[in-house]
Amino acid sequence: MANLPEMTKHRGFPGGLPGTGTQFTIRRANPKGVTPLKAIPRKARPGTKEHRVDAAFLHALWFYFGDQPFERGNLDAARLCLLFGREVMPADKDFDPLSYESLLVINERVARQNFPESFDEIFEV
């Protein structure tokens, strides 16, 4: 196996949403290269399963990192891309969408507006 790039593993962060098959983290760096972070359209409407998965991921981000910048690390790119550019933003102007070391931060105002349930102490699945 080729040498994989270094990637922070966020120990204790939920691996996914139970009962859905949806992952929140990856086990190892992608040997084909880092998946770029970019904003992709979110089609999930409030009340749908997809919206609940996005809300659960944002809940996990908020209760793990809070309002502090965090490294992308082993967080799943597909999940991040659904929130990127809205609820999750680059933490600095030197943001590299192709780096596992890139820093992100939760845009709390937008996140609370779009996913108020993500900020409840307990998230019901």
Side-chain angles (χ1 to χ4, degrees):
M1 183 182 263
N3 287 341
L4 299 177
E6 289 292 317
M7 178 180 71
T8 297
K9 292 193 176 184
H10 300 294
R11 304 278 182 219
F13 193 88
L17 187 61
T20 65
T22 302
Q23 66 183 39
F24 290 170
T25 60
I26 57 175
R27 291 184 183 187
R28 63 184 100 14
N30 186 345
K32 297 178 184 174
V34 180
T35 302
L37 288 185
K38 60 185 176 188
I40 58 174
R42 186 171 52 229
K43 297 177 179 142
R45 302 272 189 264
T48 64
K49 176 184 168 188
E50 293 82 12
H51 181 85
R52 294 291 294 163
V53 171
D54 293 340
F57 182 59
L58 183 58
H59 178 268
L61 290 173
W62 180 253
F63 283 94
Y64 194 89
F65 301 111
D67 62 357
Q68 299 302 305
F70 57 92
E71 197 170 303
R72 172 187 177 173
N74 70 328
L75 299 173
D76 183 67
R79 295 262 58 95
L80 283 171
C81 287
L82 289 167
L83 302 177
F84 190 73
R86 295 173 292 265
E87 296 82 14
V88 175
M89 303 293 293
D92 56 36
K93 63 180 180 347
D94 298 328
F95 179 77
D96 180 0
L98 289 169
S99 173
Y100 289 121
E101 296 174 349
S102 292
L103 293 178
L104 301 164
V105 67
I106 295 172
N107 182 341
E108 186 177 351
R109 183 185 59 77
V110 173
R112 283 185 184 275
Q113 180 181 353
N114 294 341
F115 295 97
E117 67 274 29
S118 296
F119 295 88
D120 293 342
E121 195 69 31
I122 297 174
F123 188 88
E124 295 289 331
V125 179

